[in-house]
Amino acid sequence: MTDVSMHLRFLAACAIAREAGHLVRARFQQRDEMLKLQFKGPQDYLTETDAEVEKLIATRLAESFPDDSFFGEEGGGAFGRKVWIVDPIDGTADFARGVPYFCVSIAFVQDGRAEIGVLYDPMLDELFAAQRGQGATLNGQAIKVSPIDDIRQSVVELGWSARASFDRYAKVLTRLNELGAGVKRRGSGALGLAYVAMGRQDAYCELHINAWDAAAAVLLVDEAGGWTNDFLTEECLKSGNRVIACTPKLRAVLEDAMDV
Ligand code: IPD
């Protein structure tokens, strides 16, 4: 693929993430009338907005790039050689409960490698964007990971979902606390990773996360000068993977802490 057609995809992903985010924000603001809590599984929320927004993104991408394939969290799809991987709302639990912390996530993956990663937080109007080899930006300004190299000065977000055993999560949490990290957990893995890319925190780790949650944001961290594990494997596309994303100097200590 030429650089020009990749850049066209990048610009389209940014525009579509913003359009989709505006719809998410509008639905969030109307949520009092429409709130109906629904679950896909234990602690796994589903809202009608997820499906509505995913459909909008899929339609826009198909209009511009009819030969690309598409895979979305809600509706699934197919993994072709050139595929868009989309989470219409990452942070669905917060969205459903009225907490303004969620984003739209769009990744473009070619031959198994993430080439474009775009996240849009519609409540803060923050667009995080990366194209492989071109750096990472927040609302058009270059971003980079923090200079923190000592775990005792670090803020580490340790994500959790019911897909990983609480016992393993608790072991990692205990280790991180013993090492002196400031550990937190919020409700959007994608935003947690983006916050590493721009230095609001120093690491994001999770024992299991799906490709649609993290593919775009892992590229952001890479492009912002961070270190990430080999996340987007073939297996990950089908069934997720562990993720570790951090400032380069925290790599060894975090790989060790996550090894449970
Ligand atoms: C979830 C969030 C959460 C992470 C989970 C994800 P969803 O995605 O990113 O922070 O810990 O692993 O499944 O359900 O909000 O799209």
Side-chain angles (χ1 to χ4, degrees):
M1 182 178 294
T2 64
D3 286 355
V4 174
S5 56
M6 192 63 83
H7 196 61
L8 282 177
R9 281 176 171 77
F10 175 74
L11 296 175
C14 292
I16 293 168
R18 278 190 186 278
E19 183 186 358
H22 293 153
L23 178 59
V24 175
R25 189 180 59 210
R27 294 293 181 257
F28 182 75
Q29 284 160 348
Q30 296 157 359
R31 62 178 282 287
D32 275 348
E33 302 117 63
M34 53 176 280
L35 180 70
K36 272 186 263 141
L37 293 181
Q38 295 177 70
F39 295 85
K40 292 188 273 187
Q43 294 300 331
D44 194 2
Y45 286 79
L46 173 69
T47 72
E48 282 160 15
T49 308
D50 293 77
E52 183 186 12
V53 175
E54 185 168 305
K55 199 168 165 213
L56 170 73
I57 298 171
T59 304
R60 291 286 182 267
L61 289 172
E63 282 163 2
S64 301
F65 310 106
D67 297 333
D68 294 356
S69 58
F70 178 91
F71 193 95
E73 172 174 13
E74 307 308 328
F79 291 111
R81 200 173 74 76
K82 292 185 276 170
V83 56
W84 294 92
I85 301 181
V86 168
D87 188 350
I89 306 177
D90 188 66
T92 305
D94 279 346
F95 175 87
R97 305 309 299 247
V99 180
Y101 186 76
F102 43 78
C103 68
V104 175
S105 172
I106 301 179
F108 178 69
V109 174
Q110 184 170 287
D111 297 322
R113 202 169 80 143
E115 296 290 341
I116 291 166
V118 173
L119 307 184
Y120 183 58
D121 173 345
M123 305 311 286
L124 293 182
D125 186 27
E126 290 192 329
L127 183 84
F128 296 90
Q131 192 182 332
R132 182 169 293 282
Q134 314 280 315
T137 58
L138 166 54
N139 290 345
Q141 303 297 311
I143 52 173
K144 60 182 182 161
V145 297
S146 86
I148 291 288
D149 57 5
D150 181 343
I151 192 78
R152 292 167 303 176
Q153 295 169 353
S154 69
V155 175
V156 177
E157 183 171 354
L158 181 61
W160 180 77
S161 77
R163 298 181 305 271
S165 86
F166 189 78
D167 191 43
R168 291 178 68 218
Y169 172 82
K171 277 193 187 130
V172 180
L173 182 60
T174 303
R175 283 187 184 188
L176 290 172
N177 274 283
E178 285 167 358
L179 288 163
V183 187
K184 59 170 68 173
R185 176 190 166 219
R186 286 183 290 218
S188 165
L191 279 181
L193 287 157
Y195 282 18
V196 175
M198 60 93 60
R200 287 180 184 155
Q201 54 195 23
D202 310 301
Y204 184 92
C205 305
E206 187 160 345
L207 288 164
H208 180 276
I209 194 161
N210 286 306
W212 53 80
D213 296 313
V218 164
L219 179 64
L220 270 175
V221 177
D222 286 338
E223 288 295 322
W227 178 83
T228 60
N229 66 320
D230 182 18
F231 173 70
L232 201 62
T233 59
E234 214 179 311
E235 188 57 29
C236 173
L237 289 175
K238 291 183 220 125
S239 47
N241 196 359
R242 85 166 39 177
V243 70
I244 307 174
C246 58
T247 68
K249 294 262 176 62
L250 294 178
R251 169 188 176 172
V253 67
L254 290 175
E255 280 192 296
D256 188 55
M258 286 284 285
D259 194 15
V260 289

